[in-house]
Amino acid sequence: MKNAAPKSSTPGEDRIFVEELKASIPERGLLVPIQLGISERYPTDVYVTDGHHRAVALKELGVEEFPCPWYWINNRRVQWEREPFPYHILGL
C-alpha cells in the first residue's frame, strides 16, 4: 500500500486510512514524505501542505521527527529549504 490518501473520503474512511498508516509506517517507513510550510509572518505556525493523514498517523504513533521537504513562505516567494526541518518550532 502506498501511503497517500484517496482523492476524496468520508470521516470514517479517513480514520480507516490513518489506522492503516499507523500499521504500515513502523514496518515500511514513511513512503511518501509530508510537505511542511512555515510562514515568515507567523513563524510558529507550521502548515501541512501535503500529507495530512500521514501527519496524524505519525502524531498518534508518537513520532517526533521525520524527514520532510519544507519551505518558508514570504510575501514575495516560496523558498524550499535544504537544511533539516527546525523541529523546535513544533514545541514537541
Side-chain angles (χ1 to χ4, degrees):
M1 172 176 82
K2 183 177 159 188
N3 55 31
K7 295 206 184 270
S8 66
S9 57
T10 66
E13 291 171 330
D14 288 338
R15 175 51 34 201
I16 290 169
F17 188 64
V18 168
E19 293 302 321
E20 289 173 351
L21 288 169
K22 285 170 56 178
S24 72
I25 289 171
E27 295 174 4
R28 300 174 51 192
L30 189 62
L31 301 178
V32 180
I34 296 170
Q35 292 181 3
L36 302 177
I38 302 174
S39 171
E40 187 177 82
R41 186 172 180 187
Y42 305 104
T44 59
D45 291 351
V46 177
Y47 304 94
V48 177
T49 58
D50 184 40
H52 293 81
H53 292 94
R54 286 168 269 149
V56 170
L58 289 172
K59 182 175 180 180
E60 291 181 6
L61 288 168
V63 176
E64 294 182 1
E65 293 189 13
F66 49 90
C68 63
W70 69 283
Y71 54 88
W72 284 106
I73 306 163
N74 65 35
N75 62 355
R76 294 178 302 276
R77 62 189 170 104
V78 169
Q79 178 181 331
W80 286 95
E81 295 294 328
R82 293 190 174 137
E83 298 296 317
F85 181 79
Y87 289 97
H88 67 277
I89 290 174
L90 298 176
L92 297 174

